[in-house]
Amino acid sequence: IPPHSEMCALARILIIDDDPAVQTTIQLLLERDGHSVALASDGRQGLDAFTTGQFDLLFLDVFMPGMDGLETMRLIHREQPEMPIIVISGRPFAPDLLPEPDYLGMATKLGAVCSLPKPFKPAALLATVASCLAAATPPVSLFAPNGNAATGT
């Protein structure tokens, strides 16, 4: 049995976030870990990328202009109910403001497999990805890119 990190390597991951700095950070971490990454800047672009591509995992920001992450997740799960989604949010916490709902918790109840508050530590992001991919069935990306696992050609 290959080590856990090898079993999860080479997954196709879609990042849907309106913040270019967050996109780049997650992309670099995932690509360094051996994953293939696609980017979308909002819910509509994310849905377009999702319907034209084949992904093993999605990162989805809760708060985006236009279509928010909760609506995007609902539409993605309508098409592919088993798609693992990690929701992320950097909603600032200010103790003197009125308390806000727990949007990450809400997203998890609505079907996200995990949530990750921004800012996050690289190790936490990679551990979350590894556990989500390990739990996903079937593991689509354990095959060579063209689908031939035996020869890789």
Side-chain angles (χ1 to χ4, degrees):
I1 296 176
H4 181 70
S5 62
E6 284 181 27
M7 288 173 44
C8 295
L10 302 177
R12 291 184 36 83
I13 300 173
L14 174 60
I15 301 167
I16 307 171
D17 195 304
D18 61 320
D19 184 339
V22 172
Q23 284 183 337
T24 302
T25 300
I26 296 173
Q27 180 181 18
L28 289 172
L29 289 168
L30 294 176
E31 287 178 346
R32 227 180 267 152
D33 206 40
H35 301 292
S36 170
V37 176
L39 303 173
S41 297
D42 61 36
R44 293 246 175 258
Q45 284 183 13
L47 280 175
D48 290 345
F50 176 76
T51 56
T52 59
Q54 196 170 25
F55 297 97
D56 302 304
L57 180 67
L58 270 65
F59 271 89
L60 182 56
D61 187 15
V62 174
F63 296 101
M64 296 180 288
M67 183 187 301
D68 69 24
L70 298 179
E71 177 67 7
T72 305
M73 181 171 62
R74 186 183 70 77
L75 294 171
I76 286 171
H77 275 156
R78 188 164 61 181
E79 296 298 314
Q80 197 172 338
E82 300 303 314
M83 173 55 61
I85 297 176
I86 298 171
V87 290
I88 53 179
S89 179
R91 198 72 168 178
F93 176 73
D96 38 337
L97 295 177
L98 291 175
E100 288 193 13
D102 175 9
Y103 291 105
L104 289 175
M106 205 182 312
T108 304
K109 287 179 183 163
L110 293 173
V113 293
C114 296
S115 64
L116 201 59
K118 296 187 257 181
F120 45 79
K121 294 192 181 321
L125 179 132
L126 294 174
T128 301
V129 168
S131 76
C132 289
L133 290 173
T137 54
V140 176
S141 290
L142 292 181
F143 295 97
N146 63 359
N148 189 334
T151 63
T153 60

